[in-house]
Amino acid sequence: MNKGKITKVSGPLVEAKGLSDANIYDVVEVSKDKLIGEIIEMRGDVANIQVYEETTGIGPGDEVVSTGSPLSVELGPGLLERMYDGIQRPLEKLELLAGEFLKRGVTAPPLNREKKWKFKAEKEVGDQVIPGDILGSVDETSVINHKIMVPNGVKGKVKEIKDGEFTVDQTVAVIETENGDKEVNMIQKWPVRTPRPFNRKLDPDTPLITGQRVIDTFFPVAKGGAASIPGPFGSGKTVIQHQIAKYADADVVIYVGCGERGNEMTDVLDEFPELIDPKTGESIMKRTVLIANTSNMPVAAREASVYTGITLAEYYRDMGYSVALMADSTSRWAEALREMSGRLEEMPGDEGFPAYLASRIADFYERSGKVIVNGQVEKEGSLSVIGAVSPPGGDLSEPVTQSTLRIVKVFWGLDYDLSYQRHFPAINWLNSYSLYQDKMDSYIDKTVDEKFSKNRMRAMSLLQQESSLQEIVRLIGRDGLSDDDKLKLDVTKSLREDFLQQNAFHETDAFCPMEKQDLMLDTILYFYDKSLEALSDGANLDELEELEVKEKITRLKLIKDENLEEFDQVKKQIDKECKEAVAKGEDE
């Protein structure tokens, strides 16, 4: 072990001399309390260390010991249903050891060393294996079967393997390699800043269905895609991420609370165990890992938390699962980078952020993707990354937002005016976009309804026309519009309030499957077409505006998923009432 002495302490930044054999990104133990830190800069034998715990009380002369290895996480059974801090310390275990307020230097193994898992072997003695091959599996939760994979760098012939009950650190297989026998247990250690390898990347062509109509219909994200949610304070970023974490059709969800308020993580902890996954009928926590590094926790660990989260996500991706990572919010991570950069006296870039901000953000988001994972059997896995951005004052021109938008392909722009009007999700349909749109349209046209993409484009065109018509209304009033344009405003109001608006706390409306989204949109446009026909056939606009079926249209979102045949009844009522309106117009 390489030892040195502290020469300077500046908040979470510690300078130590005498670490000539240490490397950048090595983990070190600082002072007698063994605070965990990471070397972020080396000049000769002088190391600058970011400490992931409170540094009060340590000073020049205290000892620093290098562990000789980079910041790594433990990967294995027992990750799901757990809550970790930014450097993968299990918070439930730390509470038992230190009470409600964490003490410095307290640590515990990330994976339970005492629990026994029932291992079922899938390889046999004599089988040739390479990194990524599945040796066997354990039922980690009632919904996720955890694959025990051959570790990276291990290749050879299975010499021993057996079924049975084992703790994570007991040997489950022995592999005969060129360099001798290698004992394999259920734990893999992986450095968080190094992306896990895969065979090859695929083009994302399947949508990540979130159950949020404005997202799935108008601005979809692909499985293996990257999306960004920038928006001002109070515009609903966290609630959208909670909704996606709850309802997205991902097999595993990693939720990283990076520098956000503690009460938001408390909401997650309170809500998730009680929520039932519509696909499995089990608690959502059965497929979720929470990583909490809230605003009152050490600032240096914010950067580590997003890397910890994405490494766990890549691990489950390598098993062949579809994984969704929520990062809330990357702005707080960037602020931590700015603070550490300032303490290192580096030359600042835009708004004081370090010059390497854009490359760090790119490195993070580019770890997403749909891939063929390592192993002899070809199987797909995907990792979708959805990052919230909290620009000060909602200024989307600031560096973190702009650096993010250069990388991601989906932009869900939150609008404070919409949130002020209590229109949630407050995603502005006029300035958001998805570069996956064409591929997702093609997929949904094949799997849900062949006219879905035409309806979507038509609805978006109407919403854009509404924006122009509203300008005219503000100038000359609604009476200056033609009947066709007045009808258009009525229909776009229905699109906004009955389709785009969604109640995250309503048991029926919180999640909307694609089939129901398609029927809702089709019914609203059907009403528009029939109303236009009725107008041209002599019906009065006043009569059309008073149709009883409009009340049914406002309540389409409340139709339960098992009662989708009610949409046909609404269409029949539209036909009937429009014909009656034409007959009345002819009588007059």
Side-chain angles (χ1 to χ4, degrees):
M1 282 191 181
N2 194 12
K3 295 183 181 180
K5 297 285 184 184
I6 293 175
T7 55
K8 185 176 85 172
V9 179
S10 173
L13 183 72
V14 169
E15 184 181 273
K17 191 173 175 62
L19 294 169
S20 55
D21 294 335
N23 296 308
I24 197 150
Y25 295 136
D26 276 3
V27 171
V28 296
E29 294 173 349
V30 178
S31 81
K32 64 180 186 301
D33 293 327
K34 295 190 175 180
L35 309 185
I36 298 171
E38 182 184 32
I39 296 174
I40 55 174
E41 185 178 73
M42 289 289 300
R43 291 179 183 172
D45 68 341
V46 178
N48 282 305
I49 300 158
Q50 61 178 355
V51 181
Y52 293 133
E53 299 183 69
E54 178 59 50
T55 56
T56 304
I58 67 174
D62 286 354
E63 190 173 69
V64 173
V65 179
S66 171
T67 62
S69 60
L71 183 66
S72 302
V73 290
E74 285 189 358
L75 305 169
L79 292 169
L80 295 176
E81 300 184 88
R82 302 293 295 276
M83 184 176 187
Y84 295 102
D85 73 352
I87 49 175
Q88 214 203 5
R89 294 180 302 178
L91 291 174
E92 304 100 315
K93 189 75 174 173
L94 298 191
E95 184 185 10
L96 294 175
L97 294 172
E100 291 183 358
F101 295 94
L102 295 180
K103 295 186 176 75
R104 294 189 310 167
V106 176
T107 190
L111 297 176
N112 189 331
R113 296 296 198 271
E114 295 161 11
K115 181 174 180 177
K116 290 202 167 183
W117 299 91
K118 191 172 182 181
F119 174 77
K120 185 179 179 184
E122 294 183 20
K123 293 288 183 187
E124 297 177 350
V125 173
D127 287 350
Q128 291 288 334
V129 293
I130 63 171
D133 279 349
I134 294 167
L135 291 170
S137 62
V138 301
D139 289 328
E140 184 174 3
T141 67
S142 52
V143 299
I144 294 295
N145 183 251
H146 192 111
K147 316 289 187 186
I148 307 302
M149 297 174 286
V150 177
N152 203 43
V154 176
K155 180 181 178 182
K157 186 167 70 174
V158 177
K159 188 175 181 181
E160 287 178 34
I161 191 167
K162 55 195 173 187
D163 293 345
E165 293 196 348
F166 303 94
T167 59
V168 289
D169 53 358
Q170 287 180 321
T171 300
V172 296
V174 177
I175 297 174
E176 190 180 308
T177 72
E178 293 176 352
N179 302 317
D181 290 352
K182 170 74 176 175
E183 293 185 348
V184 177
N185 58 27
M186 297 190 214
I187 299 176
Q188 289 191 25
K189 291 201 83 171
W190 193 265
V192 296
R193 295 179 190 278
T194 305
R196 284 179 63 86
F198 52 84
N199 193 322
R200 68 180 186 277
K201 223 164 197 176
L202 301 174
D203 197 15
D205 56 4
T206 310
L208 180 72
I209 304 299
T210 66
Q212 309 308 298
R213 290 186 290 270
V214 65
I215 293 174
D216 294 342
T217 298
F218 290 109
F219 311 110
V221 62
K223 284 186 177 178
S228 169
I229 318 175
F233 173 78
S235 58
K237 294 184 296 295
T238 299
V239 174
I240 289 176
Q241 288 211 311
H242 286 193
Q243 289 298 95
I244 297 171
K246 291 172 191 173
Y247 299 119
D249 65 337
D251 300 314
V252 176
V253 172
I254 313 290
Y255 190 95
V256 183
C258 172
E260 288 297 302
R261 293 174 291 282
N263 62 325
E264 292 176 356
M265 287 306 296
T266 305
D267 286 344
V268 173
L269 278 174
D270 288 343
E271 287 178 24
F272 277 33
E274 296 174 7
L275 284 166
I276 301 302
D277 186 342
K279 289 188 298 182
T280 62
E282 298 277 356
S283 165
I284 277 173
M285 283 302 292
K286 298 283 184 189
R287 59 181 179 92
T288 304
V289 184
L290 300 177
I291 295 171
N293 195 88
T294 50
S295 52
N296 61 333
M297 294 173 82
V299 72
R302 288 183 193 173
E303 186 192 17
S305 66
V306 296
Y307 288 120
T308 297
I310 204 158
T311 305
L312 299 186
E314 286 175 333
Y315 176 62
Y316 282 99
R317 175 207 69 191
D318 290 349
M319 296 180 200
Y321 288 122
S322 165
V323 186
L325 173 83
M326 311 292 145
D328 185 17
S329 97
T330 54
S331 291
R332 306 288 173 253
W333 161 40
E335 285 166 10
L337 280 178
R338 178 166 61 184
E339 180 173 331
M340 296 309 298
S341 176
R343 292 181 186 278
L344 286 167
E345 300 177 4
E346 294 173 338
M347 185 70 74
D350 288 350
E351 296 188 23
F353 288 104
Y356 46 79
L357 172 72
S359 63
R360 290 284 176 89
I361 290 174
D363 287 346
F364 170 67
Y365 280 104
E366 286 180 0
R367 287 173 74 168
S368 66
K370 181 180 179 182
V371 303
I372 298 293
V373 300
N374 282 346
Q376 296 176 84
V377 177
E378 194 168 281
K379 61 181 185 291
E380 290 182 6
S382 68
L383 167 52
S384 312
V385 176
I386 297 164
V389 185
S390 310
D395 175 18
L396 300 187
S397 66
E398 58 89 43
V400 182
T401 308
Q402 289 302 307
S403 298
T404 303
L405 293 183
R406 280 196 285 271
I407 299 301
V408 301
K409 289 192 170 183
V410 180
F411 167 57
W412 297 323
L414 297 180
D415 191 318
Y416 183 76
D417 290 339
L418 285 174
S419 64
Y420 187 75
Q421 296 163 25
R422 295 292 180 264
H423 177 112
F424 293 107
I427 294 174
N428 187 315
W429 50 89
L430 296 178
N431 62 16
S432 299
Y433 62 81
S434 170
L435 301 182
Y436 300 113
Q437 189 74 70
D438 291 344
K439 288 192 178 101
M440 301 306 105
D441 278 351
S442 174
Y443 179 89
I444 296 169
D445 284 350
K446 287 177 186 171
T447 58
V448 178
D449 182 356
E450 62 184 13
K451 62 179 184 294
F452 175 84
S453 60
K454 289 179 182 173
N455 282 345
R456 179 197 63 76
M457 287 187 277
R458 198 165 160 226
M460 181 55 75
S461 175
L462 286 170
L463 288 166
Q464 288 166 344
Q465 290 172 52
E466 180 202 32
S467 179
S468 303
L469 289 173
Q470 292 287 14
E471 293 286 339
I472 297 170
V473 170
R474 280 191 282 270
L475 286 171
I476 61 172
R478 182 181 165 91
D479 292 340
L481 298 177
S482 67
D483 283 354
D484 283 6
D485 284 342
K486 287 177 186 174
L487 178 62
K488 196 173 287 181
L489 285 180
D490 283 345
V491 170
T492 51
K493 182 172 184 269
S494 178
L495 282 171
R496 284 188 286 106
E497 296 181 0
D498 306 330
F499 186 79
L500 295 178
Q501 210 167 335
Q502 198 164 349
N503 187 343
F505 303 101
H506 190 283
E507 60 176 355
T508 303
D509 198 31
F511 173 79
C512 188
M514 279 311 304
E515 291 79 4
K516 184 176 171 184
Q517 294 183 39
D518 173 54
L519 289 168
M520 286 178 69
L521 190 61
D522 190 52
T523 304
I524 293 169
L525 293 175
Y526 186 79
F527 171 77
Y528 179 51
D529 290 338
K530 290 299 175 182
S531 299
L532 271 179
E533 279 180 32
L535 264 184
S536 64
D537 290 343
N540 289 325
L541 181 65
D542 292 345
E543 287 286 343
L544 293 172
E545 287 178 341
E546 298 299 322
L547 294 181
E548 290 181 12
V549 76
K550 289 185 74 174
E551 175 64 23
K552 291 267 184 80
I553 291 172
T554 63
R555 300 179 68 80
L556 290 176
K557 61 177 74 176
L558 302 182
I559 293 175
K560 294 188 181 296
D561 300 343
E562 60 269 22
N563 299 328
L564 296 183
E565 68 277 359
E566 290 182 26
F567 284 95
D568 288 333
Q569 296 165 21
V570 174
K571 282 187 176 180
K572 287 174 184 173
Q573 191 173 344
I574 291 169
D575 285 339
K576 177 172 173 278
E577 292 188 11
C578 283
K579 285 175 184 172
E580 289 171 355
V582 171
K584 279 186 184 178
E586 288 173 350
D587 291 344
E588 291 173 8

